[in-house]
Amino acid sequence: MSVTRTRLVIAAVLIALSFHARAEAQRGGRGGPPTPPSPRGAAPVDLTGQWVSLITEEWRQRQFTGAKGDFGSLNVVLLPPARKVAASWDPARDEAAGEQCKAYGAAGVMRLPTRLRVSWQDDTALKLETDAGTQTRLFKFGPPQGEGGDWQGLSTASWDYPQAALGGRGFGPAPGGSLKVITSRMKPGYLSRNGVPYSANAVMTEYFDRFDVPGGDPLLVVTSEIVDPEYLATPYWTSQQFKRETDAARWRPTPCAVR
Amino acid sequence: MRSARGVRVWLGAALAALGTSLAGQAPVIPGAPTGQAPAIDLSGYWTPALHEDLMERGPGAEIADYGGFPLNEAGRLWALSYDPSRVTLRHHQCEAYVAPYQMRALGNFRIWEERDPHTQRLVAIHVWAQTTEGHRVIWMDGRAHPPAWAPHTFRGFSTGRFVGNALVVRTTHMKNGALRRGNGAPQSDQATLTEFFTRHGDHLTNVTVVSDPVYLTEPMVRSSDFARQPVDPGAWLYACDDGEQILDRPDDAVPHYLFGKQPFVNEFSTRYKIPLAAGLLGAVTMYPELGPRLSTATEAEGRALLSPAAGQAPETSKATDREPRDGEVHVLPVRDNVYMLVGDGANIVVQTGDQGAFVIDTGEGKLADKVIAAIRGLTNKPIQFIANTSFRAEHTGGNARLGDAGQDPSLLGSFFVTAAPRGVTGAFSDPAAHATMMAHVNVQVRMQAANAPAAAVPADTYLEDRRRKFHNGDAIEFFYQKDAVTDGDSLIHFRRADVIVAGDIFTTTQYPVIDLKNGGSVQGEIRALNEILKKTVYRHQGEGGTYIVPGHGYLADEHEVLEYRDMVVIVRDRVKAMLDAGATLAQVKAARVTADYDTQYGANTGAWTTEMFLEAVYNSLRTRR
């Protein structure tokens, strides 16, 4: 009986010690209440800087404006309503309507030949600018703020780590991390410049990963999924790669163009 | 009873404490390389999302659609010379995909871990691709990459480590193959690959970064997406067996187009109403600068890109030196009891067994002592036979030293010993003090004419097409090639081990050293390469199976011989076309007819230059047409 009691006491002490250690670890040391780091301070990866797109896939469709009905690989995901809308694509009409930027919305601009500039607007928001079409996307950490409804919609950001539904013994925190951005409430625009549409109900989930190539330029790879029940039969999955650039002189903002 | 319950309580509490404590720490991986992040689970069934490059990955890309690829001049010209019907050639039919293209393939993928059964340490990550049954092994145990003279495979040799949330993989030793499907854009055997695998839920992204000094001006980056599948698709195979596609085609016919004569070159640009140059400009086509660049592009500029740039010196090889040059002799096991020794000029082959060592070629002889020491490290039997594939000094330089170090016990007390020819190796006259040397008679004749020391000259010669010998449990056949690089070349085949020693008929490092003065010819070289291909059997999807030891360079299989044969045929055809049109040798050289191969094999200095090769081809055709 006495032995059992002693063992229980030891176990209780061990538990208490381990909880104490975890709490200390979260606080980052002794004393004071825990202060969660800002999103900027908690960034597991540095995505800032100037990046240039590497158009190595779906090359013709991305470097040139395809003919009407030339959907490329989008063929496999388009629903009939999307084909119908695309069949009525009229760049002159878009221009006349002042909607030259339909291909430069959040769901389209990342696949255009462009440069990106990524910077922290403040401790809670990353800003992504494109020189193609001179667009700005804002990735706000925390609850969604704003109404959206413009080309770039409403984006919420978080740092993403591999996660399990439940914890397990011996499994530590996931290493590394990605920027996860969910964008919705976009003004309807084009997935490609020849009028393949996405709707106001489209939701885009993106993961921004930085990969440091040994002996080479760092890469930014944006993996995206677009879900649009109005126009897409399945989620539309692509990944875009960008190479880090140090020559700021290559940044050449241009207005949106319909052709 | 009470005590047992107490132990259970204690254990439970202690485990809870331990688990809670570990939950805040990165796990320690026993034996993992220092600094490596913990593993991320990539295992499962994966299906590629074909939402990018569907046409390329399915039916195939169009001719002259090389946009988005940083091809250099050699890569562009190689692609434009390519005729898709080349895959009708038997040896090309079942070729697998090189690793970067494998990751772009259709079909199902499966990834699984291999762990040490005792330590549970992660040893390797396996990737199986249904298309071409591509099995990649990514070694995770910190092992080194093989040396430059080790064999290449389509998937190459891969090592990996976890960095952050990605598996980072480095791959070397790939074969040459397609960078893009079906339209000829090439990847060389000098390419290296860096990959990043990262997973977001059930979405796997694979980023490939190909660096290729032979065909690319900068790294080629692509990314592919995969969706995790919960159910085994039950479709993992890709049956292939080669066969006759076109009957009665000559052995030396390789489908290709002469520079500037690709008949379909305008189809792509015409169909999509883009300038011809758009798909041919190399690296700029990947960047936003393409638009401004094309604003000044002309039809003439596009046409000019279809042929080698005029007025330039030939490019030189950008390949890694595949010989060690560290003053040491390196031993590479080939198969069974056959080894390749590298480091003293031409490659040396040693077969061991219960009889004496059978040595093929002896190198330059500068490191003969180290060669002998290396052989003694493989067998305690004497060097009994030395065979020469050629009389060239890089193959016979060590004859005398290795011969003196050996003996041929099969001749001791032999009735015939006294019948030895005079003035040639002492094997017959004094077998206890010398290995017996074998070669085609022309090797003996050429060496004697060059006043080689008697101890270096093979005495045991053959005159006709074939010589055979059973030694160390294997059937060894010599096949005379009467006019390949010289008039004394032999291919030597270990039938059981299935290893062919090619001498300088085949190398992975340079254009064939066709020595017209000593009886070589381009037609004979092509015939000899085809002789090799008639004897090879691949193991799986166009690779493995019969090994071929080249005169110089890395241990190969039929794929490397095939590509080399294609190269010689294509260069011959280009030279012949110009010769038939009345071109002079100077005009042939100025036309840079080897421009697509020079970054692989070319040299402007040294013992065998591109110009010397062209001269040999030209004169060979001119005098023997």
Side-chain angles (χ1 to χ4, degrees):
Chain A
M1 189 67 177
S2 171
V3 171
T4 302
R5 189 174 298 143
T6 304
R7 287 169 178 162
L8 280 170
V9 168
I10 292 169
V13 169
L14 277 171
I15 292 169
L17 279 173
S18 69
F19 275 120
H20 177 73
R22 283 194 86 194
E24 280 295 312
Q26 286 174 355
R27 273 198 293 270
R30 290 177 178 278
T35 308
S38 66
R40 184 176 188 172
V45 61
D46 180 14
L47 302 174
T48 62
Q50 182 168 306
W51 306 84
V52 61
S53 56
L54 298 171
I55 310 292
T56 57
E57 296 147 1
E58 208 75 357
W59 172 78
R60 180 177 57 77
Q61 290 84 356
R62 294 169 66 187
Q63 283 284 18
F64 302 93
T65 303
K68 190 184 292 187
D70 178 4
F71 302 133
S73 302
L74 273 162
N75 251 319
V76 296
V77 294
L78 295 183
L79 287 168
R83 296 175 190 277
K84 187 175 176 184
V85 170
S88 66
W89 170 58
D90 181 351
R93 185 181 62 210
D94 288 342
E95 205 160 33
E99 297 210 314
Q100 296 94 327
C101 290
K102 288 184 93 167
Y104 296 79
V109 71
M110 300 296 286
R111 292 191 47 80
L112 295 178
T114 186
R115 284 182 166 77
L116 309 178
R117 274 185 177 169
V118 180
S119 59
W120 285 97
Q121 176 171 277
D122 53 41
D123 281 352
T124 62
L126 267 168
K127 183 170 66 175
L128 183 150
E129 300 167 276
T130 69
D131 65 355
T134 319
Q135 300 293 306
T136 300
R137 301 180 64 191
L138 197 61
F139 304 150
K140 190 81 179 164
F141 287 76
Q145 297 175 19
E147 296 297 320
D150 57 11
W151 297 122
Q152 304 309 328
L154 187 63
S155 295
T156 57
S158 60
W159 296 118
D160 185 74
Y161 306 91
Q163 286 185 358
L166 294 172
R169 184 170 297 124
F171 291 91
S178 312
L179 172 68
K180 180 179 182 180
V181 176
I182 299 175
T183 302
S184 59
R185 301 185 208 174
M186 292 176 278
K187 183 176 179 178
Y190 295 153
L191 293 172
S192 68
R193 278 191 287 212
N194 62 347
V196 178
Y198 60 87
S199 76
N201 294 322
V203 175
M204 178 167 70
T205 302
E206 296 163 288
Y207 295 91
F208 291 69
D209 286 291
R210 172 180 166 147
F211 300 124
D212 292 321
V213 182
D217 298 306
L219 298 174
L220 173 68
V221 176
V222 183
T223 302
S224 70
E225 175 194 76
I226 299 172
V227 175
D228 185 352
E230 195 167 333
Y231 289 133
L232 301 179
T234 70
Y236 175 47
W237 283 15
T238 60
S239 45
Q240 294 70 241
Q241 49 270 11
F242 301 83
K243 185 174 78 173
R244 184 78 180 270
E245 259 189 352
T246 53
D247 184 1
R250 291 177 181 269
W251 180 260
R252 293 187 188 130
T254 56
C256 298
V258 296
R259 293 181 179 85
Chain B
M1 187 70 177
R2 183 179 289 171
S3 173
R5 191 187 68 187
V7 170
R8 283 198 293 271
V9 170
W10 188 91
L11 268 176
L15 281 172
L18 188 64
T20 310
S21 177
L22 286 177
Q25 302 171 10
V28 176
I29 308 166
T34 308
Q36 181 162 159
I40 298 163
D41 179 29
L42 302 173
S43 57
Y45 311 127
W46 299 92
T47 300
L50 299 174
H51 299 173
E52 295 182 278
D53 288 347
L54 174 67
M55 290 299 286
E56 172 195 325
R57 298 162 75 177
E62 298 185 62
I63 295 294
D65 173 13
Y66 310 122
F69 283 66
L71 292 175
N72 61 15
E73 183 195 48
R76 182 183 76 247
L77 293 172
W78 202 102
L80 288 165
S81 170
Y82 181 75
D83 180 343
S85 64
R86 199 174 300 174
V87 296
T88 61
L89 296 176
R90 173 170 223 139
H91 295 80
H92 280 297
Q93 288 170 18
C94 288
E95 287 172 342
Y97 295 160
V98 289
Y101 196 76
Q102 184 77 78
M103 301 309 294
R104 303 284 291 167
L106 309 179
N108 301 308
F109 284 74
R110 186 170 78 248
I111 300 178
W112 70 99
E113 293 181 342
E114 175 185 339
R115 289 185 180 265
D116 183 292
H118 306 292
T119 66
Q120 288 302 303
R121 177 182 167 192
L122 183 58
V123 175
I125 294 173
H126 295 254
V127 181
W128 178 273
Q130 179 186 8
T131 311
T132 78
E133 296 176 4
H135 183 191
R136 300 185 61 193
V137 181
I138 301 166
W139 296 105
M140 301 297 294
D141 54 2
R143 70 181 63 190
H145 282 241
W149 49 93
H152 288 217
T153 61
F154 285 108
R155 260 68 69 167
F157 186 91
S158 300
T159 55
R161 61 197 175 100
F162 287 98
V163 178
N165 61 344
L167 169 64
V168 183
V169 179
R170 175 172 171 259
T171 300
T172 59
H173 292 78
M174 288 179 283
K175 290 184 180 296
N176 74 336
L179 191 61
R180 189 167 211 180
R181 186 174 186 186
N183 70 354
Q187 176 183 302
S188 83
D189 63 355
Q190 295 299 296
T192 57
L193 170 66
T194 302
E195 287 170 284
F196 302 89
F197 290 79
T198 189
R199 181 180 165 184
H200 299 292
D202 287 342
H203 188 154
L204 176 73
T205 303
N206 165 249
V207 179
T208 57
V209 183
V210 179
S211 298
D212 186 348
V214 173
Y215 292 132
L216 300 180
T217 57
E218 60 181 88
M220 168 79 191
V221 182
R222 284 183 288 188
S223 56
S224 305
D225 301 283
F226 301 83
R228 190 165 191 191
Q229 303 294 336
V231 178
D232 182 349
W236 298 109
L237 299 179
Y238 192 81
C240 186
D241 200 359
D242 62 54
E244 298 84 356
Q245 300 283 326
I246 297 172
L247 298 178
D248 299 326
R249 178 163 50 189
D251 286 345
D252 64 346
V254 174
H256 69 96
Y257 296 108
L258 299 175
F259 290 146
K261 303 293 185 187
Q262 163 58 265
F264 310 108
V265 76
N266 289 310
E267 284 189 353
F268 174 69
S269 57
T270 302
R271 178 176 297 127
Y272 298 108
K273 298 181 173 57
I274 58 179
L276 173 62
L280 306 173
L281 284 169
V284 71
T285 64
M286 303 191 299
Y287 293 104
E289 282 73 16
L290 178 62
R293 174 69 180 80
L294 287 179
S295 66
T296 60
T298 62
E299 176 69 13
E301 182 183 9
R303 295 257 143 237
L305 291 169
L306 304 179
S307 300
Q312 293 186 6
E315 288 277 359
T316 55
S317 175
K318 305 295 185 287
T320 306
D321 191 348
R322 280 147 285 191
E323 297 181 16
R325 301 184 205 282
D326 59 356
E328 299 298 328
V329 172
H330 300 261
V331 177
L332 182 74
V334 179
R335 180 180 289 136
D336 297 344
N337 52 340
V338 177
Y339 304 85
M340 183 169 109
L341 274 52
V342 184
D344 188 19
N347 290 328
I348 298 169
V349 170
V350 179
Q351 182 225 34
T352 62
D354 56 355
Q355 297 175 277
F358 194 110
V359 177
I360 300 176
D361 289 339
T362 56
E364 287 184 343
K366 293 176 181 169
L367 301 178
D369 289 341
K370 291 184 176 179
V371 171
I372 293 166
I375 294 170
R376 286 184 175 149
L378 297 172
T379 177
N380 57 8
K381 306 283 184 185
I383 297 170
Q384 185 172 349
F385 293 108
I386 294 171
N388 290 130
T389 60
S390 158
F391 62 83
R392 289 168 53 78
E394 301 153 76
H395 297 261
T396 56
N399 274 9
R401 295 277 296 113
L402 268 67
D404 284 345
Q407 60 173 287
D408 184 357
S410 70
L411 292 175
L412 290 172
S414 168
F415 178 82
F416 299 102
V417 165
T418 55
R422 294 181 63 189
V424 292
T425 66
F428 286 160
S429 57
D430 187 7
H434 208 284
T436 294
M437 294 190 189
M438 310 164 73
H440 186 269
V441 69
N442 284 354
V443 172
Q444 184 188 76
V445 171
R446 297 280 182 194
M447 290 183 75
Q448 286 176 327
N451 295 318
V457 180
D460 187 355
T461 58
Y462 73 108
L463 292 91
E464 295 190 329
D465 294 345
R466 179 170 176 257
R467 170 78 190 265
R468 56 191 183 155
K469 191 159 194 68
F470 194 89
H471 192 69
N472 283 326
D474 204 346
I476 306 169
E477 289 184 288
F478 295 52
F479 297 98
Y480 175 49
Q481 306 303 305
K482 65 185 176 72
D483 55 355
V485 288
T486 69
D487 61 5
D489 306 317
S490 294
L491 299 170
I492 302 176
H493 190 184
F494 294 93
R495 289 196 345 193
R496 183 174 62 84
D498 201 10
V499 176
I500 296 173
V501 185
D504 278 343
I505 289 169
F506 165 63
T507 82
T508 67
T509 57
Q510 61 185 347
Y511 291 118
V513 187
I514 298 171
D515 183 352
L516 262 58
K517 282 186 296 187
N518 286 308
S521 74
V522 69
Q523 284 297 108
E525 166 70 2
I526 293 168
R527 275 193 294 273
L529 291 166
N530 279 327
E531 278 302 306
I532 299 174
L533 294 173
K534 285 174 185 169
K535 300 179 194 317
T536 58
V537 180
Y538 65 80
R539 186 183 65 80
H540 181 253
Q541 306 286 355
E543 69 180 350
T546 311
Y547 275 124
I548 295 95
V549 178
H552 293 267
Y554 64 83
L555 180 62
D557 62 29
E558 71 170 37
H559 178 77
E560 282 80 21
V561 178
L562 174 67
E563 293 292 339
Y564 199 71
R565 189 280 313 269
D566 288 359
M567 176 271 291
V568 180
V569 168
I570 288 168
V571 172
R572 179 208 58 184
D573 288 353
R574 290 171 184 165
V575 173
K576 186 172 186 306
M578 291 191 72
L579 192 59
D580 288 346
T584 64
L585 176 59
Q587 287 171 319
V588 169
K589 289 178 179 176
R592 299 179 60 219
V593 294
T594 54
D596 47 349
Y597 292 106
D598 288 343
T599 50
Q600 178 89 35
Y601 301 114
N604 291 337
T605 58
W608 190 245
T609 64
T610 302
E611 290 208 343
M612 292 162 76
F613 168 60
L614 279 177
E615 198 168 325
V617 174
Y618 182 89
N619 287 327
S620 180
L621 292 171
R622 192 169 58 83
T623 57
R624 301 184 186 210
R625 59 168 86 197

